[in-house]
């Protein structure tokens, strides 16, 4: 399986990092070694002093496809979950300045905690509220109405370049409010008021 991620899919987040709002999705990937499952802890890597949380809705692909038209894209994913796209912001800024790829800052071990999923046909995809708390305080909250690129648009776009396979995951971008995590922090992610993910930073 592969993990694809969308950068800058929420206008307010693009602005908070000083980025322009993109005309087409910004895409990067993470290897499967980035995943953390079953609410296991995240170990802060020693190559960064500024690892940020980015809470994101995640869709799971349930049908193989390539060059998928947007109008058929909904047939290719069946579950929505919540994940965190941990980002070594100091490393990323350094790489961005040099025009280099982001992988070292985005795709390291443990950079993709993944929580529970709910069936996509049980919720209105245009009306999903989600949030992240850090030590009990809400630090990020987003809503699918704020997405620049819809789930269908993202599936269609990435499938022009990558064949999607069953089990592939797409992290669909983070809303504003990203920030640094420290050892001892407890992160909890919610869809609506339902707890979907928890992750302790060690
Ligand atoms: Zn992200």
């Amino acid at each position: 399986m592969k993990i694809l991620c969308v950068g800058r899919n929420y206008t307010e987040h693009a602005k908070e990092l000083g980025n322009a709002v993109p005309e087409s999705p910004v895409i990067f990937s993470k290897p499967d070694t980035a995943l953390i499952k079953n609410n296991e802890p995240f170990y802060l890597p020693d190559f960064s002093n500024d690892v940020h949380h980015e809470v994101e809705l995640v869709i799971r692909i349930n049908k193989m496809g390539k060059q998928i038209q947007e109008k058929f894209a909904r047939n290719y994913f069946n579950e929505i979950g919540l994940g965190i796209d941990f980002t070594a912001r100091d490393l990323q800024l350094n790489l961005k300045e040099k025009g280099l790829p982001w992988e070292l800052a985005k795709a390291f071990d443990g950079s993709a905690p993944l929580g529970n999923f709910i069936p996509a046909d049980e919720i209105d995809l245009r009306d999903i509220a989600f949030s992240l708390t850090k030590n009990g305080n809400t630090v990020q909250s987003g809503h699918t109405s704020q997405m620049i690129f819809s789930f269908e648009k993202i599936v269609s776009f990435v499938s022009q370049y990558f064949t999607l396979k069953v089990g592939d995951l797409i992290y669909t971008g983070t809303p504003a409010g990203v920030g640094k995590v420290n050892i001892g922090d407890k992160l909890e992610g919610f869809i609506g008021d339902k707890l979907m993910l928890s992750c302790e930073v060690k």
Side-chain angles (χ1 to χ4, degrees):
M1 55 82 66
K2 59 183 164 298
I3 306 167
L4 299 172
C5 307
V6 184
R8 303 173 197 165
N9 199 22
Y10 289 79
T11 308
E12 292 305 314
H13 170 61
K15 280 189 198 159
E16 77 180 342
L17 294 184
N19 294 313
V21 174
E23 283 171 18
S24 57
V26 174
I27 304 295
F28 56 95
S29 68
K30 297 183 188 242
D32 58 4
T33 44
L35 279 179
I36 299 179
K37 290 182 178 172
N38 306 316
N39 296 325
E40 281 172 7
F42 167 67
Y43 290 88
L44 263 188
D46 55 13
F47 50 73
S48 173
N49 294 311
D50 196 22
V51 173
H52 282 198
H53 54 76
E54 296 190 356
V55 71
E56 314 204 351
L57 292 169
V58 180
I59 55 177
R60 178 139 57 194
I61 299 298
N62 70 325
K63 186 177 169 184
M64 188 166 164
K66 63 192 294 186
Q67 296 176 332
I68 300 163
Q69 288 181 51
E70 193 176 333
K71 63 182 174 186
F72 299 127
R74 177 61 190 86
N75 300 328
Y76 289 81
F77 63 95
N78 65 338
E79 289 179 293
I80 309 263
L82 207 65
I84 297 173
D85 165 24
F86 276 127
T87 303
R89 195 71 69 199
D90 43 359
L91 233 64
Q92 188 195 27
L93 289 175
N94 203 295
L95 294 165
K96 276 162 86 173
E97 271 171 20
K98 294 178 185 159
L100 294 171
W102 298 355
E103 262 76 3
L104 295 180
K106 283 282 199 183
F108 53 86
D109 285 356
S111 60
L114 184 66
N116 296 329
F117 283 84
I118 45 183
D121 53 15
E122 281 183 11
I123 40 173
D124 178 354
L125 298 183
R126 306 280 168 259
D127 187 22
I128 304 175
F130 62 105
S131 61
L132 185 77
T133 63
K134 185 169 83 173
N135 306 324
N137 303 311
T138 302
V139 285
Q140 288 192 268
S141 54
H143 191 277
T144 49
S145 64
Q146 302 161 344
M147 293 171 89
I148 300 168
F149 305 105
S150 66
F151 298 122
E152 291 88 346
K153 180 83 190 170
I154 293 165
V155 166
S156 174
F157 181 82
V158 298
S159 73
Q160 308 305 310
Y161 299 84
F162 310 105
T163 298
L164 295 176
K165 295 172 80 174
V166 175
D168 286 350
L169 301 168
I170 304 178
Y171 283 60
T172 60
T174 197
V178 302
K180 185 179 177 177
V181 295
N182 293 294
I183 290 172
D185 283 344
K186 183 165 190 198
L187 303 173
E188 291 186 308
F190 298 84
I191 290 181
D193 49 18
K194 194 172 173 188
L195 179 64
M196 302 295 287
L197 167 73
S198 62
C199 179
E200 206 174 315
V201 180
K202 291 197 169 181

